[in-house]
Amino acid sequence: MAAKTRKAATKPRSVLIVGVGGQGVIMMSKVLALVCQRQGLQVKQSEVHGMAKRGGGVFSHIRYGETVWSPTIPKGEADVLLAMEWAEGLRWLDFLRRDGGAFIADTKRIVPPFAFRSRKYGSQPIYSPEAPREVMEMVGSGFALDATKIATELGESRAANTVLLGVLSTALEFPVEDWQEVIAQNVPAKALEANKLAFEAGRDWADANRSAPMEERLKDLPGRDDRRAAEIAPKTVQFDITGEWCKGCDICVKMCPERCLRLNDEMIVELSDPEACTGCRICEWLCPDFAIRVRRVPALEPVA
Amino acid sequence: MDAKVETRTGEGRDNAEREALDQAVTRPMIGNEALARGAWEAGVRIAAAYPGTPSTEIMEFLGTYPVGDVHVQWSTNEKVSLDVAIGGSFAGVRSMTAMKHVGLNVASDALMSQAYIGVNGGLVLVVCDDPGIHSSQNEQDTRMFARFAQVPVLEPSDAQEAMEFTRRAFDISEEFDTPVIVRSTTRLSHTRSPVTTTPRTDHEPLGFNEDTVKNVIIPAHARMAHPRVLEREAKLQKFFAAPEFTRWEEGGTEIGIITASTAYTYVKEVLPEASVLKLGSSYPLAIDRVREFYEAMDRVLVVEELEPVIEDAMNAAGMPVEGKAFFPRIGEFSPEVVREGLRKAGLLEGVEEDAPFAVTPTARPPVLCSGCPHITSYMAVRSVNARVTGDIGCYTLAAVDPLKAIDTCVSMGSSIGIAVGVAKAGLETKPIVATIGDSTFLHGGIPALIDAVYNDANITVMILDNHIVAMTGGQDHAGTGKTLRGEETHRVDFEEMVRACGVKSVKTIDSYDMAALYQALREAVEYKGVAVVISDRPCVLDPMKLKGSPLQVRADGCTACQSCMNLGCPSLGWSDEMLDGYHKVTIDETTCIGCSLCAQICPSDCIQPVSN
Ligand SMILES: Cc1ncc(C[n+]2csc(CCOP(=O)(O)OP(=O)(O)O)c2C)c(N)n1
Ligand code: SF4
Ligand code: SF4
Ligand code: SF4
Ligand code: SF4
Ligand code: SF4
């Protein structure tokens, strides 16, 4: 007979910390790992370096317990998902335990350059539209908060991460003194006082909100950002070249932001990719010989 | 990494420090630190490497140990680093090199010979694989290389083993007269877990072994050496049966799992009750022990990441076994992957998967930094409408939107040779431009540049000199004037070097001077023969974070033309204000470093210093 069941041995606890490069994900997980170690627990903390500082997503798996095998958290088994950036939190949501895993999320949005890529008329940034309110209702357990706001109210906007640690500390079972001591050891001396306050503020905020019903907790959170739905109907560009006036100087070809002009065999400019032309008129303005005329034909009525 | 590893210089150790270092302590280390610690404990004296994710920190951590204990250096490439280590071994001291998996391709010529020659002082190669291709060009399996070169490979599964196996690798190397590979993976190298240290053992240097029959690998000697390699393989098969390397963890006899490296931890996570044969080495396989286990079990599965190395060896030895039928040959393992494999094998019941949360992910691919000097280099390359052969480094990110300026990327240093081939094919109507980073040029670009001149290829080479190995986190190289331990040293003069290769047309231009760069590149592509443009400006992140006063967009002057958005600078984004269907642009003042590239490109002159 094959071994079909999984013994319910003391399972390790798992915390997944996610964010964007430069936010301090690794520092946060280091603090948590040190707190765990103080309990005499085995800790494994796993991250992938490399792309982190180039604006990509960063994640760190922390697992602790009597015995920890896998360094990574199996999908659906994170006890806590701590997101330092909103969309990164959404990316990892499926790693959360469905029976009460807590989603602790900063509502801070860092919109990546990739979001502004489109040159379609009326385009909006591509960023998760889901609002904290609907996501928290979906997940059912945890907190969404604006940690920067809480920290700024304390006069120390840079201590937002410590506010989050304060909230995290209320979701885990470790003595508060251990958190305080580890934080003290890991922040610069001159920022110590501010971080102490920030940690307390995070704890207080969590305590105050924990007892409140979800509805109450969600009331101040932003709603859905559905700007994408408001895409405007395509415009057309009317593009005219007076070939006799063009001297093939190449200026417009170099400066066209959509790189949709080229010189033909007679060294006269032509629109090589009409689809790409946005009608920005840069070429018209820059041509020393007034050889180009561009008009945006007014947008049609929005189509349903 | 959270903080950069601080290497150290200075005089040799004093006794108090040595005592402190020798203390048995238990503390968390990432795999790479543990690998370095193991080498230090083994008494390593010579260590050389070329950086490469995920292996880079190994050398940096070794550089934290006292100068008197170990000479640590960056080499120009992996082949040189292995040669340096081989030299240390010939000289009679324990020596090592570390590299990423593809680095071994570069170093393989030396490895294949040294596999026959063997060692004097212990010789260890730490090679880090990258299953899942987190930061590489492929996911080759170094165990295949070990099998090919017929050198033993040790496969730790966590940081503690990483330390112990590395230490033992030096003993094995000397005892069996062979180079030894210690194979890590991204997951092991970058996972922090507790390690208990042991003291360093210093070894009396053996002195140069003047046995030319051993050391000089001419055909006559190689023919004598080859049988010894096979004998060594047989001896190691016996040796690796020791419990230190091959651990039989008793469970039931219905199902037995044979596994190694981090795959072992996933097996334990998912199937804690099964009998496990945990291998410390896939090659040479401890075949007798494996057979005992095989015969004791009703059914045996092999769970190994990437290639079926153990599985093939077992099949070849007449033990039909299942493995890759259930577990992928592609990608990184995880508890989920192992669970899914066991489910396919009928050993676990399928669990009802929860429906994924209905949320829309936000794409966040890596990008060049705000103010990265590579940005203008590629804006200039775009302006000459060229066929662009690329290379490997941060600048490879210019291959994607919005710069989209690179046509090929193959392997370190390939750009120049490929440009020669494209030129000689005679079909290309566009100018041909090879773009290559400073460290990559030193690594593998120089022979190709000489080739281009020698064969009179009509190409332009742009060297992107950002004074650092940026991609791997900011390491020094022969063009930075600093050694691994931070000492001043000779700095390669790229212009001088390029001229010495025979190039007549060479220009060095400040990468931030967009107009000059356009001009220089235009001249270079019109030049008949090999022309080199050196685009020169330090990386803004390493070795120092550079930041000037930020700029801002005057919204009333912005025509939403999107010209500046072509730079791909992450500090530039859309504001909420739109003009005729297009977003105006805004600058994030907290991240803008004030490099002025966007201001140089804006046709409306609406990007200005914040103070105005
Ligand atoms: C054979 C090989 N060795 C090492 C690496 C890892 N690696 C990727 S890019 C790079 C160096 C890039 O340095 P440079 O050319 O100076 O470009 P930069 O990243 O500084 O822009 C290295 C070492 C690799 N991909 N292949
Ligand atoms: S209007 Fe001119 S500059 Fe603008 S996108 Fe069209 S062709 Fe290019
Ligand atoms: S800028 Fe004017 S003259 Fe110059 S190529 Fe363009 S259209 Fe012709
Ligand atoms: S690390 Fe340096 S070279 Fe790499 S993207 Fe950033 S600025 Fe450019
Ligand atoms: S000056 Fe412009 S290009 Fe340079 S960092 Fe600031 S926003 Fe980016
Ligand atoms: S280049 Fe200038 S005008 Fe064009 S979008 Fe950027 S800031 Fe606005």
Side-chain angles (χ1 to χ4, degrees):
Chain A
M1 244 309 289
K4 277 211 168 126
T5 46
R6 212 196 133 175
K7 262 264 188 80
T10 46
K11 263 184 130 181
R13 300 259 289 163
S14 301
V15 179
L16 182 56
I17 304 183
V18 303
V20 175
Q23 278 196 293
V25 168
I26 306 303
M27 185 63 202
M28 299 273 278
S29 50
K30 203 171 139 192
V31 167
L32 172 57
L34 287 168
V35 173
C36 298
Q37 250 148 46
R38 282 172 163 243
Q39 325 305 317
L41 297 169
Q42 199 196 350
V43 191
K44 284 189 179 175
Q45 181 234 323
S46 188
E47 71 223 22
V48 170
H49 314 169
M51 294 300 170
K53 64 181 175 188
R54 268 160 284 278
V58 187
F59 53 91
S60 175
H61 299 244
I62 300 114
R63 311 193 76 207
Y64 58 90
E66 299 298 324
T67 312
V68 179
W69 289 112
S70 167
T72 55
I73 303 168
K75 204 170 181 177
E77 292 188 20
D79 297 284
V80 179
L81 168 60
L82 177 65
M84 302 171 71
E85 197 275 345
W86 181 246
E88 289 309 307
L90 300 191
R91 186 190 312 289
W92 291 95
L93 220 44
D94 289 332
F95 272 70
L96 208 53
R97 237 179 53 209
R98 291 306 172 100
D99 51 339
F103 182 41
I104 300 176
D106 196 327
T107 54
K108 184 191 191 79
R109 293 159 169 247
I110 300 177
V111 183
F114 194 79
F116 311 122
R117 217 176 27 135
S118 168
R119 294 293 162 81
K120 281 218 193 76
Y121 194 73
S123 287
Q124 297 295 347
I126 304 168
Y127 187 90
S128 311
E130 289 81 11
R133 198 180 305 171
E134 55 183 305
V135 173
M136 294 317 289
E137 268 164 10
M138 210 162 27
V139 176
S141 162
F143 305 102
L145 70 157
D146 184 345
T148 309
K149 188 166 147 229
I150 296 176
T152 310
E153 280 164 8
L154 295 170
E156 193 46 76
S157 59
R158 281 173 305 173
N161 290 357
T162 313
V163 173
L164 287 174
L165 284 177
V167 179
L168 175 67
S169 72
T170 65
L172 302 173
E173 59 278 20
F174 307 129
V176 64
E177 302 76 42
D178 284 331
W179 285 98
Q180 286 161 337
E181 281 166 35
V182 170
I183 291 170
Q185 284 160 9
N186 283 280
V187 299
K190 63 177 193 305
L192 184 57
E193 212 37 50
N195 278 284
K196 269 187 183 162
L197 288 173
F199 181 73
E200 282 315 314
R203 287 184 66 86
D204 292 347
W205 187 92
D207 287 339
N209 279 271
R210 176 169 294 101
S211 42
M214 188 56 98
E215 244 166 81
E216 184 64 22
R217 274 192 244 168
L218 299 177
K219 78 177 180 349
D220 290 334
L221 294 176
R224 195 175 167 92
D225 179 1
D226 254 337
R227 278 190 291 174
R228 251 187 302 186
E231 207 162 292
I232 306 168
K235 56 81 187 78
T236 47
V237 175
Q238 202 179 314
F239 189 93
D240 300 310
I241 294 169
T242 313
E244 310 83 85
W245 293 356
C246 172
K247 63 182 179 207
C249 71
D250 213 22
I251 291 177
C252 58
V253 178
K254 292 280 172 294
M255 294 304 289
C256 166
E258 305 316 317
R259 298 149 175 161
C260 56
L261 295 173
R262 70 166 168 233
L263 295 180
N264 65 18
D265 292 342
E266 280 103 59
M267 295 299 275
I268 291 175
V269 82
E270 65 182 22
L271 188 59
S272 56
D273 185 358
E275 281 298 299
C277 172
T278 64
C280 73
R281 300 178 71 185
I282 296 286
C283 52
E284 177 180 313
W285 293 329
L286 294 180
C287 173
D289 295 79
F290 307 99
I292 302 179
R293 186 170 176 275
V294 184
R295 288 290 171 273
R296 277 183 184 149
V297 179
L300 304 167
E301 286 305 305
V303 277
Chain B
M1 280 295 291
D2 35 347
K4 262 269 229 346
V5 182
E6 287 296 330
T7 53
R8 45 173 284 171
T9 48
E11 294 307 302
R13 58 171 189 261
D14 62 32
N15 288 338
E17 181 182 13
R18 174 59 184 271
E19 235 169 72
L21 280 171
D22 275 344
Q23 290 281 318
V25 288
T26 303
R27 63 185 172 85
M29 292 184 192
I30 59 167
N32 280 348
E33 182 177 4
L35 291 159
R37 173 77 197 191
W40 179 80
E41 289 180 0
V44 70
R45 293 286 299 277
I46 294 291
Y50 182 73
T53 313
S55 71
T56 311
E57 301 89 359
I58 298 170
M59 251 339 101
E60 294 177 324
F61 276 113
L62 258 183
T64 65
Y65 289 100
V67 175
D69 284 356
V70 55
H71 165 79
V72 182
Q73 68 167 55
W74 292 127
S75 289
T76 36
N77 65 34
E78 293 86 352
K79 159 102 169 72
V80 177
S81 79
L82 176 55
D83 287 338
V84 169
I86 290 172
S89 168
F90 274 138
V93 296
R94 291 191 158 189
S95 304
M96 75 175 284
T97 175
M99 60 193 71
K100 69 183 292 172
H101 58 335
V102 289
L104 191 53
N105 302 338
V106 179
S108 60
D109 200 15
L111 175 65
M112 300 308 281
S113 295
Q114 204 62 23
Y116 279 28
I117 293 172
V119 305
N120 186 24
L123 177 63
V124 172
L125 296 81
V126 179
V127 184
C128 300
D129 286 1
D130 189 18
I133 322 187
H134 294 284
S135 187
S136 301
Q137 51 268 48
N138 71 12
E139 54 183 344
Q140 66 189 49
D141 187 334
T142 293
R143 300 175 307 155
M144 303 279 280
F145 233 124
R147 165 84 185 73
F148 179 41
Q150 292 172 287
V151 302
V153 56
L154 295 176
E155 293 163 72
S157 68
D158 62 12
Q160 180 71 37
E161 267 186 2
M163 188 196 75
E164 287 166 7
F165 280 12
T166 309
R167 199 177 54 217
R168 292 290 282 130
F170 286 91
D171 302 335
I172 296 169
S173 171
E174 285 167 5
E175 187 177 337
F176 293 90
D177 194 11
T178 176
V180 175
I181 295 175
V182 177
R183 180 219 192 209
S184 178
T185 60
T186 301
R187 192 55 61 187
L188 171 60
S189 281
H190 290 167
T191 291
R192 203 179 297 275
S193 60
V195 175
T196 306
T197 59
T198 49
R200 172 174 166 106
T201 317
D202 284 305
H203 297 264
E204 217 30 65
L206 300 166
F208 201 95
N209 171 15
E210 288 172 357
D211 179 354
T212 46
V213 176
K214 176 174 167 65
N215 297 347
V216 180
I217 197 76
I218 53 174
H221 300 165
R223 271 180 233 116
M224 288 190 273
H226 199 177
R228 285 203 303 272
V229 171
L230 298 190
E231 284 160 27
R232 180 173 82 198
E233 181 183 52
K235 280 189 207 150
L236 280 160
Q237 282 183 341
K238 300 256 176 309
F239 175 78
F240 280 138
E244 178 187 6
F245 297 107
T246 302
R247 192 166 67 228
W248 185 328
E249 298 177 1
E250 301 255 3
T253 55
E254 310 86 33
I255 177 73
I257 308 275
I258 300 180
T259 185
S261 77
T262 39
Y264 163 75
T265 67
Y266 307 133
V267 168
K268 296 296 283 185
E269 176 85 24
V270 176
L271 214 58
E273 306 301 307
S275 285
V276 171
L277 192 67
K278 193 245 174 229
L279 302 181
S281 172
S282 301
Y283 175 83
L285 196 59
I287 202 80
D288 296 340
R289 190 69 174 152
V290 168
R291 198 179 299 279
E292 270 176 60
F293 183 81
Y294 182 80
E295 279 162 6
M297 297 294 143
D298 301 341
R299 183 179 179 194
V300 174
L301 287 183
V302 178
V303 182
E304 56 188 323
E305 211 167 33
L306 297 175
E307 289 299 300
V309 175
I310 303 168
E311 185 178 345
D312 285 354
M314 287 179 69
N315 280 324
M319 291 178 266
V321 71
E322 301 161 299
K324 292 299 163 186
F326 309 122
F327 304 95
R329 274 170 77 178
I330 295 169
E332 187 180 19
F333 276 15
S334 63
E336 296 91 312
V337 168
V338 171
R339 188 173 293 155
E340 174 60 18
L342 292 169
R343 198 191 54 71
K344 276 196 219 152
L347 295 169
L348 283 178
E349 266 151 30
V351 272
E352 190 88 16
E353 272 241 0
D354 293 304
F357 283 108
V359 291
T360 325
T362 298
R364 201 186 295 277
V367 290
L368 294 169
C369 301
S370 295
C372 172
H374 294 324
I375 293 176
T376 29
S377 300
Y378 282 98
M379 289 297 283
V381 167
R382 287 217 51 137
S383 80
V384 295
N385 188 25
R387 180 66 64 214
V388 183
T389 61
D391 226 299
I392 302 189
C394 279
Y395 49 95
T396 315
L397 292 171
V400 296
D401 262 336
L403 286 167
K404 251 197 163 153
I406 296 176
D407 294 307
T408 68
C409 167
V410 179
S411 73
M412 295 271 301
S414 288
S415 57
I416 302 177
I418 290 171
V420 173
V422 173
K424 292 297 173 189
L427 302 168
E428 188 56 65
T429 51
K430 296 177 175 183
I432 299 157
V433 178
T435 57
I436 183 165
D438 49 350
S439 176
T440 307
F441 179 69
L442 296 172
H443 177 286
I446 298 168
L449 184 63
I450 295 170
D451 183 285
V453 175
Y454 174 53
N455 293 299
D456 192 23
N458 190 18
I459 63 166
T460 295
V461 177
M462 175 133 99
I463 299 174
L464 308 158
D465 183 6
N466 63 351
H467 307 200
I468 201 91
V469 194
M471 184 76 202
T472 47
Q475 286 69 38
D476 281 292
H477 61 66
T480 70
K482 283 231 163 66
T483 67
L484 186 144
R485 285 195 190 260
E487 290 143 333
E488 300 284 329
T489 181
H490 173 75
R491 178 179 195 275
V492 169
D493 178 331
F494 282 95
E495 248 194 72
E496 211 172 82
M497 155 94 72
V498 165
R499 284 189 205 285
C501 293
V503 178
K504 298 283 182 297
S505 166
V506 190
K507 267 214 172 103
T508 303
I509 310 282
D510 178 354
S511 315
Y512 278 178
D513 189 342
M514 219 180 260
L517 208 50
Y518 280 153
Q519 184 66 25
L521 209 57
R522 175 169 270 199
E523 284 168 19
V525 298
E526 274 159 21
Y527 180 85
K528 290 277 162 278
V530 182
V532 173
V533 176
I534 300 166
S535 178
D536 179 277
R537 180 54 84 150
C539 163
V540 300
L541 199 64
D542 284 310
M544 237 186 320
K545 216 170 162 149
L546 303 174
K547 188 161 171 19
S549 350
L551 302 189
Q552 67 185 3
V553 178
R554 221 170 13 82
D556 55 355
C558 175
T559 65
C561 74
Q562 311 296 317
S563 290
C564 56
M565 296 304 285
N566 283 344
L567 296 170
C569 169
S571 299
L572 294 163
W574 286 344
S575 78
D576 287 339
E577 191 180 339
M578 290 179 92
L579 183 75
D580 195 15
Y582 287 92
H583 282 269
K584 292 191 177 184
V585 167
T586 174
I587 291 177
D588 176 6
E589 285 176 24
T590 57
T591 57
C592 168
I593 67 154
C595 72
S596 87
L597 298 183
C598 54
Q600 288 183 50
I601 211 163
C602 173
S604 312
D605 214 11
C606 64
I607 303 183
Q608 292 166 351
V610 168
S611 47
N612 277 11

